[in-house]
Amino acid sequence: MHTTTRKVEISNIGKNGKMRLSAMLDFMQDIDFAHLQNEPALSEFFAEQGNVMFLVSRQADILRLPEYGEELTVSTWCYELKRMYGFRNTVLKDSSGNICVQAYEVGAFAQLPSQRPVKIEQEVADRVLKGEKLDMEYTSRKIALPDTAPDKTSELIVYDSFIDMYGHVNNARYTELAEDFLPEGREVSRLRAEYKAPLKKEKAGANVWLDENALTVEIINAEGKRCCVLEYKFI
């Protein structure tokens, strides 16, 4: 298990006075990346081979969003590792030890700069320390789009500040692209994201479906290729 403490600062707070969803994801991806860099078997593999692990999907269940000034314990661990895919849990706990957010994430090993999938050696996978799988509901990593026409389509602006060190939109920034479609006053209890293809600094668009219980957003690139699908479940 890899653990750190983080304080919820003013830059992490949204207009509702609670932690922004994108800030929540930033806390998660920071600890996830630190874990990859500090896990002895994997850090050695990354350094020698020049490979990386890209996020494929994430499900974050929100029990409550933290507020300004709270001290959080952020922890992550791998519970299963295959030659091509890794599976982890990440949790945010408050100062009383209560879980605020719990997540499971799937990552895939890839080569740089081609970003093609790659398999690690089984002995490397076996050497990675595993933890106990968190007791939570695990939905499919694939998000099915509604079988109806979108309720709304929209052009999106991909800002330079959204691009990460790998040359494409950072996974938490997809949530910022989609947040304008969230209905006012609805609280999110679950956020799911499926990452299909990297979105770069280019024209982009969104197809949006909204019903009483959920918002689904498909983000596409200039060629109409699906890059990311996000699903927000409401309380």
Side-chain angles (χ1 to χ4, degrees):
M1 180 184 291
H2 195 79
T3 299
T4 189
T5 56
R6 297 285 297 267
K7 184 177 180 180
V8 182
E9 303 287 2
I10 192 64
S11 61
N12 308 132
I13 298 299
K15 63 182 180 181
N16 62 354
K18 300 179 181 179
M19 191 180 213
R20 289 182 291 105
L21 296 178
S22 57
M24 174 191 78
L25 298 185
D26 283 337
F27 276 33
M28 289 185 173
Q29 69 173 336
D30 286 349
I31 189 78
D32 293 351
F33 187 78
H35 176 240
L36 289 174
Q37 298 304 305
N38 289 280
E39 210 298 322
L42 289 181
S43 60
E44 179 182 319
F45 167 76
F46 292 145
E48 290 180 355
Q49 303 296 327
N51 295 327
V52 295
M53 176 172 263
F54 287 137
L55 190 64
V56 174
S57 68
R58 173 186 278 126
Q59 173 190 318
D61 290 349
I62 303 166
L63 283 68
R64 76 169 182 88
L65 282 173
E67 300 180 4
Y68 170 72
E70 286 198 63
E71 297 279 355
L72 302 179
T73 300
V74 188
S75 303
T76 192
W77 62 94
C78 172
Y79 64 82
E80 183 179 1
L81 186 63
K82 300 180 180 180
R83 293 190 61 194
M84 188 174 290
Y85 292 99
F87 304 82
R88 72 166 62 245
N89 290 125
T90 305
V91 296
L92 277 61
K93 292 184 178 180
D94 63 21
S95 58
S96 298
N98 299 312
I99 294 178
C100 299
V101 184
Q102 58 188 18
Y104 97 90
E105 298 129 336
V106 181
F109 294 106
Q111 297 173 328
L112 281 180
S114 69
Q115 301 186 2
R116 292 181 180 275
V118 65
K119 292 183 179 180
I120 65 172
E121 296 297 326
Q122 187 61 51
E123 64 90 12
V124 175
D126 292 341
R127 282 195 288 122
V128 173
L129 183 65
K130 316 295 192 306
E132 185 176 348
K133 187 176 181 180
L134 189 67
D135 183 14
M136 60 178 287
E137 180 183 5
Y138 291 77
T139 63
S140 171
R141 70 177 180 85
K142 294 185 177 294
I143 301 174
L145 295 178
D147 56 4
T148 58
D151 297 310
K152 181 178 182 179
T153 60
S154 177
E155 292 185 354
L156 298 174
I157 299 176
V158 179
Y159 296 102
D160 245 2
S161 58
F162 287 0
I163 306 301
D164 63 18
M165 64 184 181
Y166 299 119
H168 50 72
V169 172
N170 177 271
N171 73 80
R173 308 287 78 78
Y174 285 102
T175 305
E176 294 181 355
L177 287 170
E179 277 187 4
D180 276 350
F181 306 115
L182 282 169
E184 192 75 27
R186 297 303 303 269
E187 293 190 39
V188 177
S189 61
R190 171 176 289 168
L191 169 58
R192 296 169 65 207
E194 180 186 359
Y195 303 97
K196 303 288 290 183
L199 178 63
K200 301 182 180 181
K201 181 69 170 65
E202 58 186 314
K203 290 183 178 180
N207 295 315
V208 182
W209 292 263
L210 177 64
D211 62 31
E212 184 179 352
N213 300 311
L215 170 76
T216 305
V217 181
E218 176 192 37
I219 296 177
I220 58 176
N221 65 11
E223 286 74 43
K225 186 175 183 179
R226 183 181 300 164
C227 296
C228 180
V229 180
L230 300 111
E231 180 188 75
Y232 302 81
K233 289 286 188 180
F234 304 134
I235 295 175

